[in-house]
Amino acid sequence: MPAKRRVQSLTNQRLNQSSVPILRGSVIRQDRVSLHRMMRVTPIRDLKPQKIARMIDDFEAGYLREFSQMMDAVQRRDDVLQTVIPKRFGDVSRHEYQVLTRGDIEDSQQAEAEDHKDALNRFYANVETRDAIDLDSRGGFRLLVEQMLDAQAKRWSAHEVLWRPSPNGITAVFNHVPLWWFEKRTGRLRYLEMDYQTEGVELDPGGWMVTCGQGIMEACVIAYLYKTLSLRDWLLYGEKHAMPGIVGKTNANKGSAKWLDMIDAVQKIAADYAVVINEKDSIDKVSFSAEGQLPYQPLVEAMNKSMTTMWRGADLSTLSAGPGAGGQGASVQEGESDIVEQRDALLVSETLNSWIDPLVIRWTFGEGVAPLAYVRVVVPEKQDLAREIQVDEFLSGHGVELSQRDARERYGREEPKEGEDVLGKPEPANPLEQFGRNGGGNGVPPSNGKPQNIDQLKELFASNERTPAGMKVFMGELRELFRQARGEHLRPLLEKIKAIEKAETPEAFANALRELQDGMEGEMKRLLADKGVSAVLEKALAAAYFSGALQPAKSFVRKTAHRRP
């Protein structure tokens, strides 16, 4: 029986079963949501160290309501946390999930493992995610991942699981319930049916999923407290001491018309505080300003950096810094961020493997069936393209053949379709540009047959049907250069050069040139061992000569080798 039909048959047999998993409606009533919104207070008001200390003590004792609301308020209101937390959640939720079969199964279990894989794929492809308080918030697997990662903020994240069986398989609705609707006095989360309740009800097995995380917001609330106090003091300092006080002096008697005029003038000028005195009186200076740098800004920046580091594994200034901005810390910190991303993905995957995957398999294939497949949020390894290109260039430059298909996959490039225009390999820079551009008109060969500029040289090699006179000239000059050295050492090389000069067709020229190139390395090693030859080559700058002469020759060979008359 095909796998899909077999799964449908098993599903039909279990539609009336409610034990695996639990089939029920939501325990969250609509009036519970409405009443909660009307009674909700602002926990962040009148923030003081004593208040935070008491909330943390209650939280550790299992009374989660007050401090979890405080963490949520800080998480939504702080400017830095509003930037770094969505980035961390998005690092994982943007990745695709995969359903994989276990690697330790036997060959006889392969077919069963594929059935498990198909069932889990259908389940996760059709999941729906909601929010118990924000009824307009709906999504799929991506939103589910972000809600689960809220456990990294508040230590726990709870989902009510509403199973939805059908003849085509089973799926579920994940309803994210806020942490302040639970208490944990017994060591397990228990649901509070009403606000301000202290005794919760046990969670139905199979009807809930709880993600356990790090709880970073506890430390962030403390950092937010110090940051807020510093900002408040900074604002008070600016309000009191940003503008100077005004002192008005007059010879008029106190209470006279001139005295009152001075008071009126000073009040109009002064922004905050002012005084009017007689010239014979004196007022000593009372300074409330701090000498040097104020302590508020460094403390605010330290708290911002601390919160960023806790959430991202590195502070933003370090991540943006290059090698010239204080050392090599950026790459190290970026590696820490990769570790954080991998850990978050593993937390989501293992939670689903523990709470959800076994129930899907048991409901689909029967009680007691162990899962042979599992879901995994896949975080691909980051690719260093610059390094990949350098390695490929090094290997190809040393004769290592590389697969085009593999290169296209690694660099994300599709194979061109038939008939599409393709990019050609750029022509290398021609060293013969060093020749002067004077002498000889465009398209007019010089009288002595030797090209005088680069345009004439290109004209000589433009057609494969022409005799490569330009290359013959270069070969002849090279022969004359070598003849000045010890001729008896040069006979093998001269014979190959003469063969090139005698070539009358492009094919003969290309073959003779290949023969010269194939034996060039050995001949040059033998020649350079002779001090007389070495001296001539050094004096004539033979390296530059070869670079100018052989570049067009290679281009000519490429053209002629692939064309046949």
Side-chain angles (χ1 to χ4, degrees), residues 247-549:
V247 177
K249 296 182 179 182
T250 178
N251 290 325
N253 294 326
K254 186 177 180 179
S256 65
K258 289 185 177 181
W259 180 273
L260 296 177
D261 290 341
M262 176 61 73
I263 293 177
D264 183 63
V266 167
Q267 288 178 342
K268 292 180 179 179
I269 296 174
D272 194 0
Y273 54 90
V275 64
V276 176
I277 62 173
N278 193 279
E279 286 187 346
K280 297 179 180 180
D281 299 329
S282 65
I283 295 179
D284 294 333
K285 176 183 178 183
V286 179
S287 177
F288 296 97
S289 61
E291 300 294 335
Q293 184 181 12
L294 296 175
Y296 312 120
Q297 183 176 359
L299 184 56
V300 171
E301 292 177 351
M303 295 301 99
N304 286 339
K305 181 178 179 180
S306 177
M307 289 189 287
T308 304
T309 303
M310 284 188 287
W311 275 104
R312 299 295 290 162
D315 63 279
L316 298 179
S317 60
T318 303
L319 280 176
S320 61
Q328 303 298 323
S331 59
V332 177
Q333 296 286 3
E334 189 173 1
E336 293 294 327
S337 299
D338 294 340
I339 295 174
V340 170
E341 183 179 353
Q342 292 281 355
R343 186 177 62 184
D344 287 346
L346 190 60
L347 171 65
V348 173
S349 301
E350 290 186 342
T351 301
L352 294 173
N353 300 157
S354 176
W355 290 78
I356 304 300
D357 292 357
L359 293 178
V360 175
I361 298 303
R362 285 162 52 191
W363 190 88
T364 307
F365 298 98
E367 186 71 35
V369 177
L372 300 180
Y374 60 94
V375 69
R376 182 72 66 197
V377 178
V378 180
V379 179
E381 294 184 3
K382 294 186 177 180
Q383 187 179 19
D384 189 344
L385 291 180
R387 182 177 179 83
E388 291 280 346
I389 293 174
Q390 290 179 354
V391 172
D392 288 350
E393 289 179 347
F394 174 81
L395 294 176
S396 61
H398 286 75
V400 178
E401 296 181 351
L402 301 177
S403 167
Q404 289 188 2
R405 182 181 59 82
D406 174 70
R408 291 184 187 279
E409 290 179 355
R410 284 189 291 114
Y411 296 118
R413 300 294 183 264
E414 296 182 357
E415 186 175 358
K417 298 179 181 178
E418 186 177 356
E420 283 187 331
D421 294 334
V422 296
L423 294 176
K425 183 178 180 180
E427 290 292 333
N430 198 329
L432 291 178
E433 293 284 355
Q434 61 183 311
F435 290 117
R437 294 186 177 276
N438 299 324
N442 291 336
V444 181
S447 58
N448 59 0
K450 181 177 180 179
Q452 298 295 320
N453 56 45
I454 189 63
D455 294 329
Q456 293 179 4
L457 185 61
K458 290 179 179 179
E459 180 67 18
L460 288 173
F461 290 98
S463 173
N464 290 336
E465 303 301 327
R466 297 186 181 183
T467 300
M471 183 53 67
K472 287 186 176 182
V473 172
F474 288 127
M475 292 298 103
E477 290 183 342
L478 183 60
R479 176 172 51 81
E480 292 297 328
L481 175 65
F482 284 160
R483 195 185 298 278
Q484 297 176 16
R486 299 182 180 181
E488 62 273 17
H489 291 242
L490 304 175
R491 186 172 293 106
L493 186 60
L494 290 174
E495 292 298 329
K496 294 179 180 179
I497 295 176
K498 289 179 181 179
I500 295 175
E501 292 180 315
K502 294 178 180 179
E504 297 296 334
T505 64
E507 289 77 7
F509 180 84
N511 293 332
L513 185 57
R514 285 197 197 94
E515 186 176 354
L516 172 64
Q517 290 174 331
D518 292 342
M520 180 67 74
E521 183 178 357
E523 294 292 342
M524 291 304 297
K525 286 182 179 179
R526 186 177 61 82
L527 289 173
L528 293 177
D530 188 297
K531 295 184 179 179
V533 177
S534 301
V536 172
L537 293 177
E538 291 174 359
K539 191 175 297 183
L541 299 177
Y545 191 93
F546 273 110
S547 176

Side-chain angles (χ1 to χ4, degrees), residues 7 10-11 14 20-22 99 115-125 127 161 163-165 168-172 174 206 352-367 369-375:
V7 171
L10 291 171
T11 302
R14 294 182 177 84
V20 184
I22 185 169
V99 177
D115 291 344
H116 291 193
K117 181 177 179 180
D118 292 340
L120 290 176
N121 268 319
R122 282 193 300 273
F123 174 82
Y124 287 109
V127 296
V161 185
W163 298 92
R164 298 291 183 262
N168 294 324
I170 188 170
T171 185
F174 290 87
L352 294 173
N353 300 157
S354 176
W355 290 78
I356 304 300
D357 292 357
L359 293 178
V360 175
I361 298 303
R362 285 162 52 191
W363 190 88
T364 307
F365 298 98
E367 186 71 35
V369 177
L372 300 180
Y374 60 94
V375 69

Side-chain angles (χ1 to χ4, degrees), residues 8-23:
Q8 289 179 346
S9 176
L10 291 171
T11 302
N12 290 329
Q13 297 174 15
R14 294 182 177 84
L15 278 176
N16 296 323
Q17 297 181 3
S18 60
S19 59
V20 184
I22 185 169
L23 300 178

Side-chain angles (χ1 to χ4, degrees), residues 18-33:
S18 60
S19 59
V20 184
I22 185 169
L23 300 178
R24 57 164 174 76
S26 175
V27 300
I28 302 172
R29 303 187 309 274
Q30 179 59 42
D31 59 340
R32 169 84 161 93
V33 179

